[in-house]
Amino acid sequence: GKTTVVINTTEYHIKMENLLKDDTYQEIKKTPTTKIEREINQTMKQIEQKGLIDRETRLKLAPSHCQPPRIYGLQKIHKVGQTAKTHCVFYKLPHLHPGQRINKDSLPPC
């Protein structure tokens, strides 16, 4: 923290490609994010139609404008031999929204 690291863009891309070469990550041709968001919204509509939640609650819980995870590298200047560490951003995934937004006040009484 509290340190700015200046690095050449080409060098950064080479380091990231090296970090991504192992079997931890898998390249996909098309992101499933939109499909997952659509499936969750359809399920939420079915729950609303059954009368388990009202429209306002469904709209609060339903994901929208979701994005696939992003990965970037953080430079480790204080560790010898480890020059970069990957960091993934997951906060805009569709399946995270309902769990983050649900609380006892957002659901109608039983």
Side-chain angles (χ1 to χ4, degrees), residues 56-103:
E56 182 182 346
T57 302
R58 177 182 60 84
L59 294 175
K60 262 195 238 180
L61 297 176
S64 63
H65 308 294
C66 298
Q67 296 178 4
R70 304 282 189 236
I71 189 167
Y72 61 92
L74 298 174
Q75 297 301 304
K76 295 294 184 181
I77 60 172
H78 63 284
K79 292 185 178 179
V80 178
Q82 185 180 0
T83 58
K85 179 181 177 183
T86 57
H87 181 74
C88 295
V89 179
F90 293 104
Y91 66 91
K92 292 189 176 184
L93 290 177
H95 63 280
L96 296 179
H97 287 259
Q100 289 175 342
R101 296 182 185 193
I102 196 167
N103 62 49

Side-chain angles (χ1 to χ4, degrees), residues 3-9 11 75 77:
T3 302
T4 302
V5 178
V6 179
I7 186 170
N8 179 291
T9 305
E11 183 181 344
Q75 297 301 304
I77 60 172

